[in-house]
Amino acid sequence: MHRILPWLIRHWVLSSAVLLLACGALGYSLAAPPPPREVRIAVGTAPDSAYTLAAEAYARRLEETAFRVRRVPTQGSVENLAMLRAREVDLALVQGGIADPARDAGLVSLGAVFHEPAWIFLRAEAGIGRVSDLRGRRVAIGPEGSGTRVLALALLAANDIGPLEIEALPITGTAAAEAMLAGAADAAILVSARTAGAVATLMRAAPAVRLVDVADSADAYGVHLPFLSAVRLPRGGLSLAADQPEQSVTLLAPVASVLAHQDIHPQVVSLLVGIMQEVHRPRTLFSAEGSFPNALAQDLPMNADAERYYARGRTVLQRWLPFWVAVWVERLFFVLLPVIGLAVPLIRFGPTLYAWQMEGRVWRHYDTLRRIEAEAEQARGDDARAALRERLEALEGRVARLSLPLTYRRHVFALRRDIAYVRAQLAPTRRPGGIEQA
């Protein structure tokens, strides 16, 4: 170490450059890798479904930000979850109450985005008054693997009706509406955030088809199925002109959430949550403006970066710079931070170290001069004193050859004066009669 430190100081520029490069490499290793250029999104096959429309809105905005988006068609929430677990997609919308924290470990939520009401329609001719009367009836509950089927079976189970106690019709949407109107189904349970399509068709079929109002039992359903919340469909909410519905109706609704893998890139999370806010912030039939997206009532853990975004908003860089520019500026910051942290003291103490180095080239010759002076005090013979004078001449020669900036030449002149002083002590003296005496 006693040799390394002087070398580092003498070669200050080189050692500083090496240290700065090492710090830059450390910062680069600590910086998160850049976001992937491609994002795979699960997109529903029904073109007018809320899931499809939302996923398409995300995809378009991601493409506007120079991402490549691959749309992967799926049949619904259950398949979306399976594809997320298999890493066949990166993002998917999933109906509340479908995900399981144990089974779906490794997945996280980026936030709830909209209510998905359960529309329970009963055919008036069937003489059914409530959900608990559906035992033994023909009920359209959606195909296997659909979120509609999962929620329909949960609602029936809450009324002590098992899946084998009904005639389950694996249809939903338009097919379920047609079966109801044709008398092929006694009831249909639809899960939809949109009021167009099958919901509108069955609402127009009143009084032959009746929408169940759960106002009296909404709290009880919330106890048995905590992922459900009550939403209100106001009178005339579907059509003021047709007065549909003729009175306000309370529905049960899970929330749809955007799910991703827990290792999703933090900057992609920030971008996605911002996109979700653009898409879902406006007022809807079942939510006030600004209600969604949010971090409430999630089946799976919330992504930490998404939570920070909801609390603080976008970073300053992403607020003022294009996404990819902000990404590289943030990465550059991580690289430069340790470099700047080291460069500042190096720059501050650099002149001092440089002066110490220049002066040290002179000061180290004082050790030789001090030894010569100490030996001169002990020298008694002519030969010894002559040898010391020769060493002084050699020392002065080395000092004279020192190449130093003009600012530091004064130290050389001071050293040469000191050499002259020691030389004077070793000068031969004259004996009486004019003979020199060493």
Side-chain angles (χ1 to χ4, degrees), residues 45-281:
T45 54
D48 61 344
S49 73
Y51 281 23
T52 301
L53 295 175
E56 283 292 344
Y58 304 158
R60 286 194 302 271
R61 285 166 172 79
L62 285 170
E63 287 170 338
E64 291 170 0
T65 318
F67 277 91
R68 295 187 301 272
V69 178
R70 185 148 62 91
R71 297 161 174 82
V72 181
T74 71
Q75 296 300 319
S77 291
V78 175
E79 186 176 1
N80 287 358
L81 267 176
M83 295 184 80
L84 277 170
R85 288 194 298 268
R87 289 191 172 269
E88 296 175 7
V89 295
D90 303 308
L91 297 171
L93 283 150
V94 175
Q95 178 183 299
I98 304 293
D100 178 78
R103 181 197 61 203
D104 300 314
L107 301 181
V108 292
S109 173
L110 303 185
V113 289
F114 52 77
H115 287 296
E116 278 193 287
W119 305 79
I120 306 172
F121 290 100
L122 306 177
R123 195 163 59 87
E125 293 181 358
I128 306 169
R130 349 178 260 174
V131 176
S132 57
D133 297 332
L134 290 178
R135 185 176 281 103
R137 301 290 185 160
R138 298 167 299 173
V139 185
I141 62 172
E144 289 284 352
S146 68
T148 297
R149 191 181 189 94
V150 173
L151 180 54
L153 292 176
L155 290 171
L156 292 169
N159 286 274
D160 294 328
I161 300 175
L164 301 179
E165 296 181 277
I166 61 168
E167 184 180 338
L169 304 179
I171 54 176
T172 190
T174 302
E178 291 174 351
M180 287 285 289
L181 297 177
D186 300 312
I189 300 176
L190 309 178
V191 180
S192 175
R194 289 174 55 79
T195 57
V199 171
T201 299
L202 292 175
M203 290 297 293
R204 287 193 298 267
V209 175
R210 181 173 67 86
L211 176 63
V212 174
D213 183 354
V214 297
D216 294 335
S217 54
D219 291 341
Y221 275 109
V223 171
H224 294 281
L225 303 172
F227 59 89
L228 295 178
S229 57
V231 295
R232 180 174 170 271
L233 175 64
R235 177 175 179 173
L238 299 182
S239 172
L240 278 172
D243 195 23
Q244 285 184 352
E246 295 180 353
Q247 59 183 19
S248 64
V249 179
T250 299
L251 305 174
L252 297 170
V255 292
S257 298
V258 177
L259 303 187
H261 305 116
Q262 64 182 4
D263 57 359
I264 184 172
H265 197 283
Q267 288 164 319
V268 174
V269 171
S270 178
L271 177 63
L272 281 169
V273 177
I275 289 174
M276 289 157 56
Q277 287 185 330
E278 292 177 18
V279 174
H280 302 291
R281 182 179 181 83

Side-chain angles (χ1 to χ4, degrees), residues 430-435 437:
R430 292 183 176 273
R431 295 176 180 175
I435 302 174
Q437 180 179 3

Side-chain angles (χ1 to χ4, degrees), residues 266-423:
Q267 288 164 319
V268 174
V269 171
S270 178
L271 177 63
L272 281 169
V273 177
I275 289 174
M276 289 157 56
Q277 287 185 330
E278 292 177 18
V279 174
H280 302 291
R281 182 179 181 83
R283 177 187 178 91
T284 68
L285 183 60
F286 300 106
S287 63
E289 181 178 0
S291 299
F292 291 102
N294 62 57
L296 305 176
Q298 300 300 295
D299 297 331
L300 297 177
M302 277 293 298
N303 176 274
D305 297 296
E307 281 191 310
R308 279 192 290 271
Y309 188 101
Y310 287 120
R312 305 172 190 170
R314 291 184 180 179
T315 63
V316 174
L317 289 177
Q318 290 192 6
R319 193 176 299 129
W320 295 103
L321 297 175
F323 175 75
W324 288 105
V325 175
V327 165
W328 288 108
V329 169
E330 288 182 11
R331 284 176 54 78
L332 186 63
F333 175 77
F334 271 99
V335 173
L336 292 181
L337 184 62
V339 173
I340 294 173
L342 182 62
V344 169
L346 285 176
I347 293 172
R348 180 180 177 183
F349 296 109
T352 303
L353 292 175
Y354 180 76
W356 189 88
Q357 177 189 350
M358 292 297 104
E359 294 171 359
R361 296 174 63 184
V362 177
W363 303 143
R364 67 173 179 265
H365 292 294
Y366 272 97
D367 288 336
T368 304
L369 181 62
R370 180 183 58 78
R371 287 194 295 271
I372 292 174
E373 184 180 24
E375 292 177 21
E377 295 175 357
Q378 305 296 327
R380 293 291 182 267
D382 295 343
D383 293 340
R385 296 172 68 85
L388 290 175
R389 286 196 297 271
E390 290 179 4
R391 289 170 59 187
L392 275 177
E393 294 297 331
L395 175 62
E396 187 172 23
R398 290 195 299 273
V399 171
R401 290 191 296 271
L402 285 176
S403 177
L404 293 175
L406 186 61
T407 306
Y408 299 97
R409 292 295 298 176
R410 69 180 187 278
H411 299 299
V412 174
F413 295 132
L415 177 56
R416 294 183 71 176
R417 285 196 300 269
D418 294 336
I419 291 174
Y421 171 78
V422 176
R423 183 187 295 112

